[in-house]
């Protein structure tokens, strides 16, 4: 279930408020601070990668963060940009000179995929969340913004 979608300019000034907006939407779902911190790190690294790599030479562009929740199971984060994409159109090697942010995201998530398709780069990261980390009440609200 898609619980939020936020679009913002890919700039240093906009990424932190974007991350905070997403965490605010997720807080009614999750009660575990460690889980929220893990999601914050994943989002921060993913947005930082867009800012650093997607729009070289000072080009302007946007990033889109979408979050899907499978209640009592998992959270999947999608971070999309319309920039140049990774070199060769593929995820960098895990032990090369680049890809440090992706390695961090990969260590914190159960599934991390970087894909280039239809002029977009999409990073998808899923974390499985234990039952104890979910809020006791079922939250049926959704929030979407752009």
């Amino acid at each position: 279930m898609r619980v939020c979608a936020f679009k913002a300019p890919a700039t240093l000034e906009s990424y932190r408020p974007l991350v905070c907006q997403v965490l605010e939407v997720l807080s009614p779902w999750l009660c575990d601070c460690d889980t929220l911190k893990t999601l914050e790190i994943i989002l921060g690294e993913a947005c930082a990668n867009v800012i650093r790599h997607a729009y070289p030479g000072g080009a302007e562009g946007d990033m889109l963060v979408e979050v899907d929740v499978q209640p009592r199971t998992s959270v999947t984060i999608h971070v999309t940009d319309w920039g140049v994409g990774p070199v060769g159109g593929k995820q960098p090697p895990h032990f090369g000179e680049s890809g440090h942010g992706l390695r961090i995201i990969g260590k914190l998530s159960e599934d991390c995929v970087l894909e280039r398709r239809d002029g977009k780069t999409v990073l998808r990261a899923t974390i499985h969340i234990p039952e104890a980390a979910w809020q006791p009440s079922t939250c049926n609200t959704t929030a979407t913004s752009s």
Side-chain angles (χ1 to χ4, degrees):
M1 157 189 334
R2 177 81 23 105
V3 296
C4 68
F6 293 104
K7 191 173 187 179
T11 63
L12 288 174
E13 297 78 25
S14 67
Y15 99 92
R16 186 69 193 148
L18 177 67
V19 169
C20 290
Q21 285 178 309
V22 172
L23 293 173
E24 185 176 321
V25 169
L26 287 173
S27 63
W29 293 88
L30 301 167
C31 61
D32 180 62
C33 290
D34 289 340
T35 301
L36 287 167
K37 184 52 106 178
T38 297
L39 290 166
E40 180 180 14
I41 293 167
I42 290 170
L43 283 165
E45 289 294 332
C47 291
N49 277 347
V50 170
I51 293 164
R52 281 188 208 111
H53 304 297
Y55 304 105
E60 293 183 5
D62 292 324
M63 58 186 159
L64 172 67
V65 174
E66 300 168 290
V67 180
D68 297 334
V69 172
Q70 294 300 317
R72 305 265 184 258
T73 304
S74 65
V75 172
T76 301
I77 296 168
H78 307 263
V79 179
T80 303
D81 70 71
W82 294 264
V84 297
V87 176
K90 298 190 299 191
Q91 206 162 293
H94 284 289
F95 295 105
E97 301 244 344
S98 64
H100 300 295
L102 286 176
R103 277 198 302 280
I104 291 168
I105 295 167
K107 291 284 184 185
L108 295 174
S109 63
E110 281 74 31
D111 181 36
C112 177
V113 177
L114 182 68
E115 295 180 304
R116 180 79 180 166
R117 63 178 184 265
D118 302 326
K120 301 183 284 191
T121 302
V122 181
L123 172 77
R124 184 186 75 239
T126 300
I127 65 168
H128 297 285
I129 300 172
E131 180 69 28
W134 294 93
Q135 291 286 5
S137 63
T138 303
C139 181
N140 293 323
T141 61
T142 60
T144 302
S145 179
S146 53

